[in-house]
Amino acid sequence: MKKFIQTGVIGHPIKHSKSPLIHNYWIDHYDLKGRYEAIDIHPDDLINRLPVLFKEEGYTGFNLTIPHKEIVLAVCDEIDDVARDIGAVNTVTFKDEKIIGTNTDAYGFVTNVKETLPHFNFNGIHATILGAGGAARAIVYGLLKENVSKIYLTNRTQAKATQIKNDFNNDPRIEIMDWDSRENILDKTHLLVNTTSLGMDGQAALNIDLSPMIKGGVVCDIVYAPLMTPLLSQAKANELSIVTGIGMLLHQARPAFKAWYGIMPEVDAMLENKVLAT
Ligand code: ATR
């Protein structure tokens, strides 16, 4: 008989998370026994609460979201190289009485680009990342692993971009640019990634003119509400390729599900439509 596997996502707040829909869809789709819940835990309580959920309440794994991705490092018994290099954990698994942390955001980003544009090749390209929050950190990691030759990193608060470069051992491929000169690097940019919250429902649009961007370039937004952000609409109008944000959310969930349920799940149109409809 199949074991009932309890998993979930921990955040604060957490009620808007789409992760329960994604994982419970796969539990049904693959005819597994289990449940994935949203659990609200205050950041002050995480370090005490997480071991209890594993050791006394029988959970197998969790995703971590805002504001827990860095706090959770303190309670992991082991973290893998990816989480260590990114400096954040978004997935924990309880295995052999140990809490093991990893980070699947870089995988989610890179896989989404590859699935959307199968002919796109990261090797040797110049990328520009707008923003320097947690998502930008994971994307820098993913792009360096994919052997891009340059990452222009620009953020309203420049010190945060500089901190990322420091945390990646001052990798010479990362170049910090002034936020106000973000348009000046577009004529050298093959891949532009928006990791800021600009363009999200209720937020101002990102102020940028894409017309100087390299012909055949790609614009990727990690915002997925709306799916077609003003940035992506402008990219389309400029005949650039686009990658929407929903795929990063869906693909980052796959390795976590595999770690807990033993199956690498597929992203299908029905799942994507369900997530977009909620
Ligand atoms: P995430 O974990 O999704 O990356 P985050 O860590 O809160 O989220 O980062 C949000 C990003 O959006 C930051 O780069 C932020 O810039 P600051 O570091 O200067 O705050 C950026 N951002 C948010 N509002 C912005 C605005 N109005 N103009 C420019 N950048 C903005």
Side-chain angles (χ1 to χ4, degrees), residues 4-278:
F4 190 91
I5 298 173
Q6 277 176 273
T7 54
V9 57
I10 300 173
H12 182 75
I14 195 62
K15 69 173 189 295
H16 297 298
S17 173
K18 297 186 187 270
S19 292
L21 199 166
I22 298 169
H23 286 270
N24 287 319
Y25 174 88
W26 285 329
I27 290 169
D28 283 351
H29 186 83
Y30 293 103
D31 201 18
L32 301 169
K33 286 183 74 177
R35 185 177 61 235
Y36 182 104
E37 298 156 50
I39 302 179
D40 193 321
I41 297 180
H42 189 276
D44 292 346
D45 299 332
L46 184 74
I47 288 176
N48 290 328
R49 192 81 181 93
L50 190 63
V52 173
L53 289 167
F54 283 136
K55 292 174 187 170
E56 294 173 25
E57 298 183 30
Y59 285 86
T60 296
F62 291 102
N63 288 125
L64 285 308
T65 187
I66 292 171
H68 294 308
K69 290 186 182 186
E70 285 160 25
I71 302 166
V72 72
L73 287 164
V75 76
C76 289
D77 298 302
E78 285 172 20
I79 60 166
D80 67 4
D81 293 350
V82 188
R84 194 200 53 233
D85 289 355
I86 295 173
V89 162
N90 78 338
T91 303
V92 286
T93 303
F94 194 56
K95 203 171 169 211
D96 302 330
E97 295 299 308
K98 284 189 189 152
I99 301 174
I100 300 170
T102 187
N103 192 311
T104 65
D105 285 334
Y107 171 87
F109 171 76
V110 169
T111 307
N112 183 34
V113 175
K114 289 181 175 174
E115 292 276 318
T116 309
L117 303 171
H119 299 296
F120 183 76
N121 188 356
F122 288 95
N123 198 5
I125 65 153
H126 289 191
T128 293
I129 299 179
L130 306 172
R137 210 167 253 282
I139 291 169
V140 166
Y141 175 90
L143 291 174
L144 292 175
K145 283 283 173 213
E146 291 294 320
N147 285 322
V148 301
S149 64
K150 180 69 92 183
I151 298 174
Y152 298 110
L153 184 59
T154 178
N155 191 45
R156 177 181 60 177
T157 311
Q158 191 165 323
K160 282 169 70 182
T162 308
Q163 185 64 47
I164 293 182
K165 181 171 161 96
N166 286 345
D167 292 346
F168 282 91
N169 298 320
N170 278 310
D171 191 304
R173 290 174 290 172
I174 304 173
E175 195 170 327
I176 308 302
M177 307 298 292
D178 197 69
W179 178 247
D180 290 332
S181 54
R182 58 193 178 278
E183 279 172 8
N184 302 348
I185 35 180
L186 292 181
D187 61 352
K188 292 180 274 191
T189 298
H190 302 101
L191 172 68
L192 175 71
V193 187
N194 175 45
T195 75
T196 74
S197 43
L198 294 168
M200 202 182 272
D201 284 333
Q203 296 252 0
L206 178 66
N207 182 9
I208 194 164
D209 173 8
L210 296 177
S211 54
M213 201 162 146
I214 291 182
K215 225 168 171 278
V218 174
V219 177
C220 180
D221 206 329
I222 71 159
V223 171
Y224 58 81
L227 190 62
M228 192 53 62
T229 59
L231 177 72
L232 294 179
S233 300
Q234 194 196 151
K236 260 192 152 171
N238 281 276
E239 294 177 357
L240 299 162
S241 298
I242 63 164
V243 179
T244 64
I246 191 68
M248 179 170 171
L249 174 75
L250 297 171
H251 285 285
Q252 64 78 31
R254 295 172 61 215
F257 190 89
K258 167 89 168 33
W260 307 327
Y261 293 95
I263 289 173
M264 187 64 158
E266 293 303 327
V267 167
D268 60 30
M270 192 188 287
L271 173 61
E272 188 169 324
N273 291 336
K274 271 179 186 265
V275 173
L276 289 172
T278 54

